[in-house]
Amino acid sequence: MAAAEKPPSADAPRVDQQGAPVLHVAIVMDGNGRWAKQRGLPRSLGHRAGVEALKRTVSAAAKLGVNSLTVFGFSTENWSRPAAEVAELMALPKRYFETDLARLHREGVRVRVIGRREGLSSELLKLIDDAHARTENNDTFNLNIAFNYGGQADIADAARRFAEDVAAGRRRPEDLDETLFAGLLATAGAPPPDLIVRPSGEQRLSNFLLWEAAYAELVFQDVLWPDYGEEHLRAALAEFAARDRRYGAIVADDVLAAG
Ligand code: IPE
Ligand code: MG
């Protein structure tokens, strides 16, 4: 196998340095609006029901052996929604942290909000900073909330930071490789997602974790996010477990056959 094809982690056991299992699931929380519409409710109530689904899903993930969960809460493109809906979405982190942050902290969850800070209110930024500071030393479970996040925006921001470092003489162009670049992204230091789930029947990434998705398995489910819970995550994980991940290599039996 050519060195360039060598996967970073194909043969590596899926455990961390302490031997604990590593399984990172990312979810595009989608379908809140349709869920509300089906019930004749305002979209805001769909979003609030989505927060309840998030609570169920975080508990289910920890129970089902997932140790990192990254959820897409607000994209850099969601600013184009009506102002009232944007305001409702902006209020969701507060709603979630008010009811759940203390419990998450007690349970050892490290909470990170990833995304651009520009555009967020100072109140929301303080909430985010407090959540980071409070939970940064926790290590039983990682909850990453992508908020004002866009995969392309994050890649562009990382490229700009690298260019600034080169211009300032701190780095040389030839220093840049995949590992260094990954360290400039909002997800720096975290393992890439093993599985990306999108409920609501849509089958696209919508600018979520574009760089990090390189070898993720994708599972699409026909449930609207506010209805999501343990049974759906269990089904997604079962589908994931049945996949044959090769990272650009070939399976062991075929190596023997080829030899
Ligand atoms: C997900 O639900 C929430 C966000 C994208 C912020 P939607 O609001 O996209 O729900 P649908 O797609 O209209 O049903
Ligand atoms: Mg949607």
Side-chain angles (χ1 to χ4, degrees):
M1 184 169 69
E5 286 171 46
K6 194 169 185 343
S9 57
D11 343 287
R14 294 156 49 73
V15 294
D16 67 14
Q17 285 166 337
Q18 281 75 43
V22 172
L23 182 56
H24 180 184
V25 175
I27 305 183
V28 180
M29 303 188 289
D30 194 20
N32 298 351
R34 280 163 282 172
W35 183 92
K37 192 170 180 191
Q38 282 175 359
R39 287 161 179 75
L41 298 170
R43 292 177 62 87
S44 59
L45 293 188
H47 296 314
R48 291 180 202 184
V51 173
E52 299 308 310
L54 176 60
K55 295 177 187 177
R56 288 194 297 275
T57 306
V58 172
S59 303
K63 179 175 162 190
L64 297 175
V66 173
N67 75 323
S68 291
L69 183 69
T70 301
V71 294
F72 206 177
F74 187 88
S75 83
T76 45
E77 289 69 42
N78 287 149
W79 291 107
S80 62
R81 295 192 178 195
E85 181 165 352
V86 169
E88 174 66 34
L89 292 166
M90 286 292 140
L92 295 183
K94 186 171 181 205
R95 185 176 283 276
Y96 180 50
F97 288 163
E98 266 171 6
T99 57
D100 272 50
L101 189 65
R103 187 179 51 78
L104 291 169
H105 179 48
R106 270 201 312 279
E107 292 173 358
V109 179
R110 181 172 188 260
V111 178
R112 300 286 311 167
V113 178
I114 59 168
R116 278 187 172 158
R117 292 172 69 86
E118 297 83 63
L120 304 186
S121 71
S122 53
E123 187 200 10
L124 180 50
L125 290 173
K126 183 175 183 318
L127 210 70
I128 290 170
D129 292 340
D130 288 349
H132 287 177
R134 192 158 169 198
T135 66
E136 68 184 342
N137 295 319
N138 294 344
D139 61 2
T140 58
F141 189 90
N142 298 298
L143 173 62
N144 307 306
I145 303 170
F147 200 86
N148 198 18
Y149 172 88
Q152 292 181 343
D154 196 38
I155 291 168
D157 290 349
R160 188 182 317 105
R161 277 198 296 279
F162 182 76
E164 285 165 0
D165 281 355
V166 171
R170 289 188 293 268
R171 289 196 193 280
R172 297 162 304 158
E174 57 270 32
D175 293 340
L176 190 67
D177 62 10
E178 293 92 322
T179 307
L180 191 147
F181 194 74
L184 299 172
L185 297 170
T187 51
D194 299 288
L195 166 64
I196 298 180
V197 177
R198 183 163 190 162
S200 93
E202 309 291 354
Q203 303 197 353
R204 54 181 173 266
L205 281 177
S206 295
N207 207 11
F208 190 37
L209 301 176
L210 295 184
W211 172 280
E212 298 83 349
Y215 281 101
E217 296 294 328
L218 307 179
V219 168
F220 301 103
Q221 294 180 292
D222 260 332
V223 51
L224 299 174
W225 175 248
D227 289 327
Y228 208 86
E230 180 175 332
E231 63 177 295
H232 306 100
L233 185 61
R234 203 182 274 281
L237 289 169
E239 195 170 331
F240 170 75
R243 300 274 176 91
D244 175 21
R245 303 183 80 194
R246 295 198 297 275
Y247 301 92
I250 56 177
V251 295
D253 287 355
D254 294 341
V255 174
L256 293 175

